[in-house]
Amino acid sequence: MTHKVSLSLLKLADYRNYAAVTLTLDPRHVVLTGQNGAGKTNLMEAVSFLSPGRGLRRAVLADIARVGAPGGFSIFAELEGMEGGVEIGTGTEGGDDGQIRRLRINATQAKSVDELTDHLRVLWLTPSMDGLFTGPSSDRRRFLDRLVLSLDPAHGRRASDFERAMRSRNKLIGEGRFDPSWLTGLERQMASLGVAMALARQEMLGLLGGLIAQGHGDPAFPSATLSLDGFLDGALHQPAIDLEDIYVGMLQDGRYRDAAAGRTLDGPHRADLMVRHREKDMDAGRCSTGEQKALLVGLILAHARLVANMTGHAPILLLDEIAAHLDAGRRAALFDRIDAIGGQTFMTGTDRSMFEALGERAQFITVTDGHLSV
Ligand SMILES: Nc1ncnc2c1ncn2[C@@H]1O[C@H](COP(=O)(O)OP(=O)(O)O)[C@@H](O)[C@H]1O
Ligand SMILES: [Mg+2]
């Protein structure tokens, strides 16, 4: 039995093009419609800030406060979360250049943004992800790590600790300081973090692949075959301790090469997520734009199902401009799939008629130039 996490109140102040708005919601899905530039994506972005990180636009915090508002921005939300009712307040204040994100949960200062994941998980799909399969591997890695993060909140800390150790190593070898005890210490640290990252990615892909295989044959959304490439290829079935030794060896052997390259050439920061269209047996990057979109939607839906299964709570899903690329049959199938996942889903579009098949399953909100109306 999956429990529903749902937002009942969202209040924004000086948030992008919103001076001040209050949105009261029931647990049904939320459809936001309005013209280009009205503020639909901004509203979804505000919801995405109820999870750790930089939100669905990967924004610089200082860009979010409404132009002309010197006091920072604020987001306040009330929701039925994974541990019951909870109030979350986040935002910036004037004074520190708007760079520091404050977070209060039930009116108490949170120690870390990771605390948000005790209450809800937020997943999203936005038009900027449309080029995921053909774009740079760094985008796919980030996508992959977000998938892992929504199941395993410790993944983000591992990745940033790995980055820090790697930067220290790059600095040492870049300065020609091949002090073996220093370097070996850093490389051991990189190995334990890097292998943990690779294994967490591998485990998540295994679980996701299993779920996708169960849904195999869904005519609306093709299924993807997922694999990792570029780091410890073909070795990830081995025990972590052996993998760490392998990676430490690679780092030691690569010191002079990496010094010449100015960066570390082996590691989890070089891995790539490989996606294939299962039914066509073709690389996702070679599929048509429409097929790629359908693959991506299928992937996000499967992931939402995985998060629901693993945590017992359906995540909040943000599907920006989702109707645009889908025909009526696929839209209807999408609505049925999100219902089956059991969470509250936010969707945007320019035209309300695109969402007609939702009927009473959704509440409809019109967004006009930073204002909301029902
Ligand atoms: N910090 C900001 N202050 C004021 N307006 C902003 C800020 N950031 C973005 N905007 C404006 O918000 C508007 C709405 O954007 P968006 O939510 O992406 O629209 P859409 O409804 O098409 O999704 C844009 O016109 C943009 O210029
Ligand atoms: Mg938009």
Side-chain angles (χ1 to χ4, degrees):
M1 172 69 197
T2 308
H3 297 276
K4 188 167 201 161
V5 167
S6 62
L7 219 60
S8 54
L9 178 76
L10 185 69
K11 271 175 136 165
L12 307 179
D14 287 333
Y15 188 93
R16 296 214 185 257
N17 67 333
Y18 295 96
V21 289
T22 300
L23 179 59
T24 315
L25 297 169
D26 63 53
R28 292 176 298 163
H29 304 307
V30 182
V31 173
L32 303 162
T33 53
Q35 294 182 344
N36 296 331
K40 304 179 296 295
T41 305
N42 289 348
L43 203 113
M44 297 265 236
E45 184 193 38
V47 177
S48 74
F49 274 108
L50 302 176
S51 65
R54 289 162 52 189
L56 58 70
R57 282 199 181 96
R58 293 182 38 73
V60 176
L61 283 178
D63 291 347
I64 295 173
R66 191 171 56 89
V67 171
F73 71 89
S74 75
I75 302 167
F76 178 79
E78 286 178 12
L79 56 137
E80 190 53 37
M82 293 158 72
E83 295 180 347
V86 63
E87 296 180 359
I88 298 172
T90 190
T92 57
E93 290 168 8
D96 48 30
D97 297 329
Q99 298 290 3
I100 299 171
R101 176 172 171 190
R102 320 273 162 166
L103 174 63
R104 293 171 84 79
I105 298 179
N106 289 329
T108 307
Q109 191 91 38
K111 285 184 205 72
S112 149
V113 283
D114 290 350
E115 284 180 35
L116 286 168
T117 58
D118 296 340
H119 300 284
L120 78 163
R121 307 288 163 96
V122 187
L123 311 177
W124 54 81
L125 182 63
T126 71
S128 67
M129 290 154 70
D130 285 352
L132 188 73
F133 302 131
T134 49
S137 65
S138 54
D139 285 355
R140 280 185 298 280
R141 222 163 21 245
R142 192 173 305 120
F143 175 76
L144 171 69
D145 283 333
R146 251 194 333 96
L147 298 185
V148 178
L149 205 54
S150 56
L151 285 177
D152 178 2
H155 189 67
R157 181 55 44 87
R158 278 195 294 260
S160 55
D161 289 350
F162 175 85
E163 284 287 330
R164 195 170 316 116
M166 181 168 70
R167 272 200 304 274
S168 301
R169 174 182 183 267
N170 289 348
K171 187 161 185 290
L172 274 184
I173 60 178
E175 291 168 353
R177 292 155 66 193
F178 292 91
D179 175 344
S181 61
W182 254 101
L183 272 178
T184 304
L186 286 170
E187 287 166 354
R188 281 256 150 232
Q189 205 185 342
M190 285 171 68
S192 101
L193 294 162
V195 165
M197 283 170 70
L199 290 175
R201 288 168 174 169
Q202 171 90 345
E203 186 187 353
M204 188 276 303
L205 288 187
L207 292 168
L208 192 55
L211 260 191
I212 292 173
Q214 282 173 25
H216 187 46
D218 184 331
F221 300 104
S223 43
T225 312
L226 307 165
S227 59
L228 284 170
D229 184 43
F231 179 53
L232 296 171
D233 292 339
L236 287 173
H237 58 279
Q238 295 185 36
I241 191 132
D242 295 340
L243 294 172
E244 288 178 23
D245 287 342
I246 295 172
Y247 185 31
V248 162
M250 288 161 73
L251 289 169
Q252 273 174 9
D253 293 345
R255 284 175 187 170
Y256 288 96
R257 179 200 63 181
D258 291 351
R263 62 208 166 102
T264 299
L265 294 177
D266 293 308
H269 61 299
R270 308 277 290 184
D272 197 356
L273 170 67
M274 313 301 283
V275 182
R276 284 179 76 78
H277 187 302
R278 185 194 300 246
E279 287 84 12
K280 293 184 70 158
D281 193 26
M282 184 180 276
D283 278 336
R286 290 225 196 124
C287 293
S288 77
T289 313
E291 286 169 335
Q292 292 186 29
K293 184 77 181 187
L295 263 174
L296 205 50
V297 173
L299 204 51
I300 294 292
L301 293 175
H303 187 64
R305 209 145 49 91
L306 180 60
V307 171
N309 290 354
M310 301 286 290
T311 65
H313 289 86
I316 287 189
L317 262 179
L318 309 175
L319 304 176
D320 197 12
E321 299 291 343
I322 190 65
H325 292 281
L326 302 176
D327 53 49
R330 282 201 173 74
R331 283 201 301 275
L334 171 74
F335 302 151
D336 293 342
R337 293 275 296 266
I338 59 175
D339 270 351
I341 294 164
Q344 190 183 38
T345 298
F346 290 68
M347 288 165 275
T348 65
T350 48
D351 190 353
R352 193 171 276 202
S353 66
M354 295 277 202
F355 300 94
E356 241 156 35
L358 274 166
E360 289 298 308
R361 295 179 286 174
Q363 51 211 304
F364 291 80
I365 289 142
T366 306
V367 186
T368 318
D369 207 11
H371 297 277
L372 305 175
S373 53
V374 178

